[in-house]
């Protein structure tokens, strides 16, 4: 099965192989969404599970991320052309001190398939940068990710900065990443924690329009 090949190429960190297999899947008629979900995301989910169990190290995760990005380069343009399903604006980024965009990229792709507008700030985003963009763009949702225990504490700093600038009201904050869990999300004042990109997309599809309507009342 072509998707199993994509998964294995990501786990092995083979970017060129992932690119070839992704192209092959698309030319065979598989949709961009199915390639994303059953191949690319499934592959990174397997790597993430191994990382949580300490069966792989950060360098191996980064190699897997590079392979996954090779496939995403073919899938992303097709998702952009998909029919818009919902509206809404989402700002996302990896917190300061953290240079990993693995989960961030997956979530971005999944959200793009819903039609929502995504502003991706990338990695190493400071609390003040988050606050500045929130003030300018007025998003419905802010998403933050962290892969390291040493950087997850910055999420609380971002929330404190938003509250200090009176930007927290009516802003939904979602956090995620390997060291993060629902308990931590609650302690720092975030609204939601999701374990994977599928959960995020489902939440966006079911709730973003309702959230927008509530804010505009």
């Amino acid at each position: 099965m072509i998707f199993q090949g994509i998964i294995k190429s990501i786990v092995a960190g083979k970017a060129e192989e992932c690119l070839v297999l992704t192209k092959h899947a698309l030319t065979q008629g598989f949709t961009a969404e199915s390639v994303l979900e059953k191949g690319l995301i499934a592959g990174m989910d397997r790597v993430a599970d191994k990382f949580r169990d300490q069966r792989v190290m950060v360098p191996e995760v980064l190699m897997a991320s590079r392979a996954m990005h090779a496939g995403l380069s073919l899938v992303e343009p097709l998702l952009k052309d998909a029919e818009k399903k919902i509206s809404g604006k989402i700002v996302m980024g990896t917190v300061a001190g953290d240079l990993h965009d693995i989960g961030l990229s997956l979530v971005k792709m999944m959200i793009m398939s819903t039609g929502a507008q995504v502003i991706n700030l990338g990695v190493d985003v400071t609390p003040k940068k988050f606050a500045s963009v929130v003030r300018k763009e007025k998003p419905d949702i802010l998403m933050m990710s962290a892969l390291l225990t040493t950087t997850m504490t910055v999420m609380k700093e971002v929330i404190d900065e938003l509250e200090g600038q009176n930007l927290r009201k009516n802003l939904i904050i979602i956090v995620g990443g390997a060291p993060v869990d629902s308990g931590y999300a609650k302690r720092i004042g975030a609204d939601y924690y999701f374990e994977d990109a599928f959960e995020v997309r489902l939440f966006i599809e079911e709730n973003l329009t309702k959230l927008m309507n509530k804010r505009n009342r």
Side-chain angles (χ1 to χ4, degrees):
M1 182 70 175
I2 188 70
F3 294 138
Q4 286 302 316
I6 294 174
I7 291 170
K8 289 179 180 178
S9 70
I10 291 174
V11 173
K14 297 180 178 179
E16 187 63 32
E17 184 176 321
C18 184
L19 182 69
V20 171
L21 290 171
T22 300
K23 184 176 182 180
H24 184 50
L26 293 171
T27 56
Q28 280 190 333
F30 290 103
T31 65
E33 280 196 8
S34 67
V35 175
L36 176 66
E37 294 178 16
K38 298 178 182 179
L40 301 175
I41 289 180
M44 280 311 302
D45 279 347
R46 190 168 297 181
V47 175
D49 288 341
K50 289 186 175 184
F51 183 73
R52 290 191 193 97
D53 296 337
Q54 298 183 333
R55 288 184 287 147
V56 295
M57 304 301 288
V58 170
E60 294 169 281
V61 176
L62 295 179
M63 287 181 64
S65 175
R66 180 171 172 269
M68 180 267 297
H69 276 288
L72 284 180
S73 68
L74 299 177
V75 170
E76 183 174 1
L78 301 177
L79 291 174
K80 285 181 178 179
D81 293 337
E83 180 183 355
K84 297 290 184 180
K85 300 174 185 176
I86 61 174
S87 58
K89 185 182 292 187
I90 299 167
V91 168
M92 60 170 55
T94 301
V95 296
D98 200 319
L99 302 178
H100 305 96
D101 66 348
I102 302 160
L104 194 72
S105 297
L106 294 176
V107 171
K108 175 189 173 186
M109 292 300 101
M110 294 296 279
I111 294 174
M112 282 177 58
S113 69
T114 71
Q117 180 183 354
V118 179
I119 300 173
N120 183 8
L121 304 183
V123 300
D124 197 21
V125 185
T126 65
K128 289 191 180 298
K129 176 65 174 179
F130 273 118
S132 173
V133 175
V134 167
R135 180 179 296 279
K136 178 183 177 183
E137 299 292 342
K138 297 178 175 56
D140 303 285
I141 295 174
L142 172 65
M143 294 184 179
M144 294 184 283
S145 69
L147 186 66
L148 307 173
T149 55
T150 53
T151 60
M152 62 190 285
T153 56
V154 180
M155 291 176 169
K156 178 64 165 62
E157 296 175 23
V158 174
I159 293 175
D160 289 344
E161 183 70 28
L162 293 169
E163 290 176 345
Q165 296 192 33
N166 296 316
L167 298 171
R168 179 69 177 91
K169 185 179 180 182
N170 295 327
L171 176 66
I172 297 299
I173 295 179
I174 298 174
V175 296
V180 183
D181 58 26
S182 57
Y184 182 73
K186 185 176 181 179
R187 289 196 300 274
I188 66 174
D191 297 295
Y192 298 96
Y193 155 79
F194 293 112
E195 188 172 338
D196 58 47
F198 292 105
E199 290 183 357
V200 176
R201 187 180 72 170
L202 183 62
F203 175 82
I204 296 300
E205 288 178 336
E206 293 182 348
N207 296 281
L208 185 53
T209 300
K210 289 185 286 187
L211 291 171
M212 290 172 58
N213 292 337
K214 185 177 180 180
R215 290 185 69 187
N216 293 330
R217 285 175 184 171

